[in-house]
Amino acid sequence: MIDALTVALGVTALLLAAWCGFAAYRDQPTKDWHFIGMAVVALLAIVQLVIGVVRLAGGADPQQGVAIFVAYLIGSALAVPIAAFMSLTERTRWGSATVSAAAVVLAVLEVRLYDIWGGVGG
Amino acid sequence: MTGDSTAGKAAGKAEKAAGKPESTARTGLGQGPGRLLVMLYGVFTVAAASRSVYQLIAQYQEAPLAYILSAVSAVVYAFITVSLVRGGEGARKAAFVCCALELLGVLTVGTWTLADPSAFPDQTVWSDYGMGYLFIPIFLPVTGLLWLRKARRG
């Protein structure tokens, strides 16, 4: 379950990065549609945080330690919302570039999360 | 009062005109391209700080030098992030010095880790010129220095 979600988040984060990167390339700020996209990715990350915590509470044991796992879960949940606020107050192409960079960071976090969890079923 | 509000409106208009030098010159370093830098420096502050705090607490004995260097880099990143957000000439100068320091740090630690790997049983943010972090640690200070230099002229 959590592995599938991690993969899904990684992929959607990269799509968001490409989309906002394209907006930056075309010299456009983030628009409503971009924010809907960010909301979807942010929601997935929050669901992942909840599931992760529930599984920990249920006795699951991430391969590289609970503290690191939780830190990465929190980081993933915060990355896109923070970038969204930063682009709200930066109505230029650089706001789009900021969201794009944050989405790439999220994708990297997901890869790390996959390793930390152990990269095996569940 | 009226003077203030007109000035405010004018500034607002300047900003709406899409990240032109007027707006960057007035408030600051965290606008336009600077916004992207704030985000990246913020990410690296959190990454380096959480990493070093965890490692210093959990496994200090394994590689004290690496963990202390990570902590130092976290402080440098944090300082630059705050300076970029605050803006102003003083902050710009301070951030400039720190970016130079950061570049020096990446180059020194990067070379050091390649020359004498035995001193570093564990990785730091700046190991191998930041390879574990997609080489962003070496591009970031260069971009930062360019941006800070441009912000002065703007």
Side-chain angles (χ1 to χ4, degrees):
Chain A
M1 174 64 201
I2 202 161
D3 278 355
L5 196 56
T6 306
V7 173
L9 248 175
V11 172
T12 46
L14 285 179
L15 286 175
L16 181 69
W19 192 19
C20 291
F22 183 62
Y25 172 73
R26 294 208 302 174
D27 201 6
Q28 288 175 345
T30 44
K31 303 198 171 131
D32 287 357
W33 282 107
H34 295 110
F35 282 100
I36 292 170
M38 288 177 230
V40 171
V41 176
L43 196 68
L44 279 176
I46 290 166
V47 169
Q48 185 187 43
L49 171 65
V50 171
I51 292 179
V53 170
V54 167
R55 301 243 350 200
L56 284 179
D61 192 22
Q63 198 172 308
Q64 296 181 28
V66 174
I68 295 178
F69 183 66
V70 172
Y72 271 82
L73 279 179
I74 294 173
S76 321
L78 288 179
V80 169
I82 289 176
F85 279 112
M86 289 177 78
S87 84
L88 264 184
T89 51
E90 176 63 43
R91 308 308 299 146
T92 67
R93 72 190 307 179
W94 296 106
S96 307
T98 303
V99 176
S100 184
V104 172
V105 169
L106 177 57
V108 172
L109 288 178
E110 293 305 316
V111 173
R112 287 284 296 125
L113 261 177
Y114 190 85
D115 289 340
I116 292 164
W117 185 255
V120 284
Chain B
M1 274 309 257
T2 39
D4 274 359
S5 71
T6 354
K9 265 181 211 156
K13 254 180 220 159
E15 264 168 43
K16 258 184 209 150
K20 291 302 165 233
E22 297 97 273
S23 63
T24 50
R26 256 192 82 254
T27 30
L29 308 168
Q31 276 167 352
R35 185 59 56 106
L36 183 58
L37 279 179
V38 170
M39 214 280 296
L40 289 174
Y41 271 109
V43 167
F44 271 89
T45 305
V46 173
S50 47
R51 177 188 186 128
S52 59
V53 167
Y54 173 79
Q55 289 177 326
L56 285 172
I57 292 172
Q59 50 202 51
Y60 177 74
Q61 291 311 324
E62 282 175 36
L65 180 62
Y67 303 151
I68 288 168
L69 276 171
S70 281
V72 170
S73 67
V75 172
V76 174
Y77 284 129
F79 187 85
I80 297 172
T81 311
V82 172
S83 302
L84 284 173
V85 172
R86 280 191 58 204
E89 184 58 18
R92 194 193 65 80
K93 275 188 188 138
F96 198 87
V97 172
C98 276
C99 276
L101 206 70
E102 181 196 343
L103 183 59
L104 198 70
V106 182
L107 292 175
T108 310
V109 175
T111 311
W112 194 357
T113 44
L114 289 180
D116 183 17
S118 63
F120 292 89
D122 201 353
Q123 291 254 307
T124 76
V125 181
W126 290 344
S127 288
D128 304 336
Y129 304 109
M131 196 166 74
Y133 292 80
L134 306 173
F135 289 111
I136 294 174
I138 199 160
F139 288 115
L140 208 50
V142 176
T143 322
L145 287 171
L146 289 174
W147 167 244
L148 290 168
R149 203 181 62 164
K150 189 164 170 286
R152 180 190 53 194
R153 280 191 266 125

CSV table of all heavy atoms in Angstrom, one decimal, chain B residues 99-128:
chain,number,residue,atom,x,y,z
B,99,CYS,N,27.8,33.0,1.0
B,99,CYS,CA,27.7,32.2,-0.3
B,99,CYS,C,29.2,31.9,-0.7
B,99,CYS,O,29.5,30.8,-1.1
B,99,CYS,CB,27.0,33.0,-1.4
B,99,CYS,SG,25.3,32.8,-1.4
B,100,ALA,N,30.1,32.9,-0.5
B,100,ALA,CA,31.5,32.6,-0.9
B,100,ALA,C,32.1,31.6,0.1
B,100,ALA,O,32.8,30.7,-0.4
B,100,ALA,CB,32.3,33.9,-0.7
B,101,LEU,N,31.7,31.7,1.3
B,101,LEU,CA,32.1,30.7,2.3
B,101,LEU,C,31.6,29.3,2.0
B,101,LEU,O,32.3,28.3,2.1
B,101,LEU,CB,31.6,31.2,3.7
B,101,LEU,CG,32.3,30.7,5.0
B,101,LEU,CD1,33.6,31.5,5.0
B,101,LEU,CD2,31.5,31.0,6.2
B,102,GLU,N,30.4,29.3,1.6
B,102,GLU,CA,29.7,28.1,1.2
B,102,GLU,C,30.5,27.4,0.0
B,102,GLU,O,30.7,26.2,0.1
B,102,GLU,CB,28.3,28.3,0.9
B,102,GLU,CG,27.5,27.1,0.5
B,102,GLU,CD,26.2,27.5,-0.2
B,102,GLU,OE1,25.8,28.7,-0.1
B,102,GLU,OE2,25.6,26.6,-0.8
B,103,LEU,N,30.7,28.2,-1.0
B,103,LEU,CA,31.4,27.7,-2.1
B,103,LEU,C,32.8,27.1,-1.7
B,103,LEU,O,33.2,26.0,-2.1
B,103,LEU,CB,31.6,28.8,-3.2
B,103,LEU,CG,32.3,28.4,-4.5
B,103,LEU,CD1,31.5,27.3,-5.2
B,103,LEU,CD2,32.4,29.6,-5.4
B,104,LEU,N,33.5,27.9,-0.9
B,104,LEU,CA,34.8,27.5,-0.4
B,104,LEU,C,34.6,26.2,0.4
B,104,LEU,O,35.4,25.2,0.2
B,104,LEU,CB,35.3,28.6,0.5
B,104,LEU,CG,36.8,28.5,0.8
B,104,LEU,CD1,37.6,28.9,-0.4
B,104,LEU,CD2,37.2,29.4,2.0
B,105,GLY,N,33.6,26.1,1.2
B,105,GLY,CA,33.3,24.9,1.9
B,105,GLY,C,33.1,23.7,1.1
B,105,GLY,O,33.7,22.6,1.3
B,106,VAL,N,32.3,23.8,0.0
B,106,VAL,CA,32.0,22.7,-0.9
B,106,VAL,C,33.2,22.3,-1.6
B,106,VAL,O,33.5,21.1,-1.6
B,106,VAL,CB,30.9,23.1,-1.9
B,106,VAL,CG1,30.6,21.9,-2.8
B,106,VAL,CG2,29.7,23.6,-1.3
B,107,LEU,N,34.0,23.2,-2.0
B,107,LEU,CA,35.3,22.9,-2.8
B,107,LEU,C,36.2,22.2,-1.8
B,107,LEU,O,36.9,21.2,-2.2
B,107,LEU,CB,35.9,24.1,-3.4
B,107,LEU,CG,35.1,24.7,-4.5
B,107,LEU,CD1,35.7,26.0,-5.0
B,107,LEU,CD2,34.9,23.8,-5.7
B,108,THR,N,36.4,22.7,-0.6
B,108,THR,CA,37.3,22.1,0.3
B,108,THR,C,36.9,20.7,0.8
B,108,THR,O,37.7,19.8,0.6
B,108,THR,CB,37.4,23.0,1.6
B,108,THR,OG1,37.6,24.4,1.2
B,108,THR,CG2,38.6,22.6,2.5
B,109,VAL,N,35.7,20.6,1.2
B,109,VAL,CA,35.2,19.3,1.7
B,109,VAL,C,35.1,18.3,0.5
B,109,VAL,O,35.5,17.2,0.7
B,109,VAL,CB,33.8,19.5,2.4
B,109,VAL,CG1,33.3,18.1,2.7
B,109,VAL,CG2,33.9,20.3,3.6
B,110,GLY,N,34.7,18.8,-0.6
B,110,GLY,CA,34.7,17.9,-1.8
B,110,GLY,C,36.0,17.4,-2.1
B,110,GLY,O,36.2,16.2,-2.4
B,111,THR,N,37.0,18.2,-2.2
B,111,THR,CA,38.4,17.8,-2.5
B,111,THR,C,38.9,16.9,-1.3
B,111,THR,O,39.5,15.8,-1.6
B,111,THR,CB,39.3,19.0,-2.6
B,111,THR,OG1,38.7,19.9,-3.5
B,111,THR,CG2,40.7,18.6,-3.2
B,112,TRP,N,38.6,17.3,-0.1
B,112,TRP,CA,39.1,16.5,1.1
B,112,TRP,C,38.5,15.1,1.1
B,112,TRP,O,39.3,14.1,1.3
B,112,TRP,CB,38.6,17.3,2.3
B,112,TRP,CG,39.3,16.9,3.6
B,112,TRP,CD1,40.1,15.9,3.8
B,112,TRP,CD2,39.1,17.5,4.9
B,112,TRP,NE1,40.5,15.8,5.1
B,112,TRP,CE2,39.8,16.7,5.8
B,112,TRP,CE3,38.3,18.5,5.3
B,112,TRP,CZ2,39.8,17.1,7.2
B,112,TRP,CZ3,38.3,18.8,6.7
B,112,TRP,CH2,39.1,18.1,7.6
B,113,THR,N,37.2,15.0,0.7
B,113,THR,CA,36.6,13.6,0.8
B,113,THR,C,37.2,12.8,-0.3
B,113,THR,O,37.3,11.6,-0.2
B,113,THR,CB,35.1,13.7,0.6
B,113,THR,OG1,34.8,14.6,-0.5
B,113,THR,CG2,34.4,14.2,1.8
B,114,LEU,N,37.6,13.4,-1.4
B,114,LEU,CA,38.2,12.6,-2.5
B,114,LEU,C,39.7,12.2,-2.2
B,114,LEU,O,40.1,11.1,-2.5
B,114,LEU,CB,38.1,13.4,-3.8
B,114,LEU,CG,36.7,13.5,-4.4
B,114,LEU,CD1,36.8,14.3,-5.7
B,114,LEU,CD2,36.1,12.1,-4.7
B,115,ALA,N,40.4,13.2,-1.6
B,115,ALA,CA,41.8,13.0,-1.3
B,115,ALA,C,42.0,12.0,-0.1
B,115,ALA,O,42.9,11.2,-0.1
B,115,ALA,CB,42.5,14.3,-1.0
B,116,ASP,N,41.2,12.1,0.9
B,116,ASP,CA,41.4,11.3,2.1
B,116,ASP,C,40.0,10.8,2.6
B,116,ASP,O,39.5,11.2,3.6
B,116,ASP,CB,42.0,12.2,3.2
B,116,ASP,CG,42.3,11.5,4.4
B,116,ASP,OD1,42.3,10.2,4.4
B,116,ASP,OD2,42.5,12.1,5.5
B,117,PRO,N,39.5,9.8,1.9
B,117,PRO,CA,38.2,9.2,2.2
B,117,PRO,C,38.2,8.7,3.7
B,117,PRO,O,37.1,8.6,4.3
B,117,PRO,CB,38.0,8.1,1.2
B,117,PRO,CG,38.9,8.4,0.1
B,117,PRO,CD,40.1,9.1,0.8
B,118,SER,N,39.3,8.3,4.2
B,118,SER,CA,39.3,7.6,5.5
B,118,SER,C,38.9,8.6,6.6
B,118,SER,O,38.5,8.2,7.7
B,118,SER,CB,40.7,7.0,5.8
B,118,SER,OG,41.6,8.1,5.8
B,119,ALA,N,39.1,9.9,6.4
B,119,ALA,CA,38.7,10.9,7.4
B,119,ALA,C,37.2,11.0,7.4
B,119,ALA,O,36.6,11.5,8.4
B,119,ALA,CB,39.3,12.3,7.0
B,120,PHE,N,36.5,10.4,6.4
B,120,PHE,CA,35.0,10.6,6.4
B,120,PHE,C,34.3,9.2,6.2
B,120,PHE,O,34.0,8.8,5.1
B,120,PHE,CB,34.6,11.4,5.2
B,120,PHE,CG,35.0,12.9,5.4
B,120,PHE,CD1,36.2,13.3,4.9
B,120,PHE,CD2,34.1,13.8,6.0
B,120,PHE,CE1,36.6,14.6,5.1
B,120,PHE,CE2,34.5,15.1,6.1
B,120,PHE,CZ,35.8,15.5,5.7
B,121,PRO,N,34.2,8.5,7.4
B,121,PRO,CA,33.5,7.2,7.3
B,121,PRO,C,32.0,7.4,6.8
B,121,PRO,O,31.4,6.4,6.3
B,121,PRO,CB,33.5,6.7,8.7
B,121,PRO,CG,34.5,7.6,9.5
B,121,PRO,CD,34.5,8.9,8.7
B,122,ASP,N,31.5,8.5,7.1
B,122,ASP,CA,30.1,8.8,6.6
B,122,ASP,C,30.0,10.0,5.8
B,122,ASP,O,30.9,10.9,5.8
B,122,ASP,CB,29.2,8.9,7.9
B,122,ASP,CG,27.7,8.6,7.5
B,122,ASP,OD1,27.4,8.5,6.3
B,122,ASP,OD2,26.9,8.6,8.4
B,123,GLN,N,29.0,10.1,5.0
B,123,GLN,CA,28.8,11.3,4.1
B,123,GLN,C,28.4,12.6,4.8
B,123,GLN,O,27.9,12.6,5.9
B,123,GLN,CB,27.7,11.0,3.1
B,123,GLN,CG,28.1,9.9,2.1
B,123,GLN,CD,28.4,10.4,0.8
B,123,GLN,OE1,27.6,11.1,0.2
B,123,GLN,NE2,29.5,10.1,0.2
B,124,THR,N,28.8,13.7,4.2
B,124,THR,CA,28.3,15.0,4.6
B,124,THR,C,27.5,15.5,3.4
B,124,THR,O,27.6,15.0,2.3
B,124,THR,CB,29.4,16.0,5.0
B,124,THR,OG1,30.0,16.5,3.7
B,124,THR,CG2,30.5,15.4,5.8
B,125,VAL,N,26.8,16.7,3.6
B,125,VAL,CA,26.1,17.3,2.5
B,125,VAL,C,27.1,17.7,1.4
B,125,VAL,O,26.8,17.7,0.2
B,125,VAL,CB,25.4,18.5,3.0
B,125,VAL,CG1,24.6,19.2,1.9
B,125,VAL,CG2,24.4,18.1,4.1
B,126,TRP,N,28.3,18.0,1.8
B,126,TRP,CA,29.3,18.5,0.9
B,126,TRP,C,30.3,17.5,0.3
B,126,TRP,O,31.2,17.8,-0.4
B,126,TRP,CB,30.1,19.7,1.5
B,126,TRP,CG,29.2,20.9,1.7
B,126,TRP,CD1,28.0,21.2,1.1
B,126,TRP,CD2,29.5,22.1,2.5
B,126,TRP,NE1,27.5,22.4,1.5
B,126,TRP,CE2,28.4,23.0,2.3
B,126,TRP,CE3,30.5,22.5,3.3
B,126,TRP,CZ2,28.3,24.2,3.0
B,126,TRP,CZ3,30.5,23.7,4.0
B,126,TRP,CH2,29.4,24.5,3.8
B,127,SER,N,30.1,16.2,0.7
B,127,SER,CA,31.0,15.2,0.3
B,127,SER,C,31.0,15.1,-1.3
B,127,SER,O,29.9,15.2,-1.9
B,127,SER,CB,30.6,13.8,0.8
B,127,SER,OG,30.9,13.8,2.2
B,128,ASP,N,32.2,14.8,-1.8
B,128,ASP,CA,32.3,14.6,-3.3
B,128,ASP,C,31.6,15.8,-4.0
B,128,ASP,O,30.8,15.5,-5.0
B,128,ASP,CB,31.7,13.3,-3.7
B,128,ASP,CG,32.4,12.1,-3.0
B,128,ASP,OD1,33.5,12.3,-2.5
B,128,ASP,OD2,31.7,11.1,-2.9
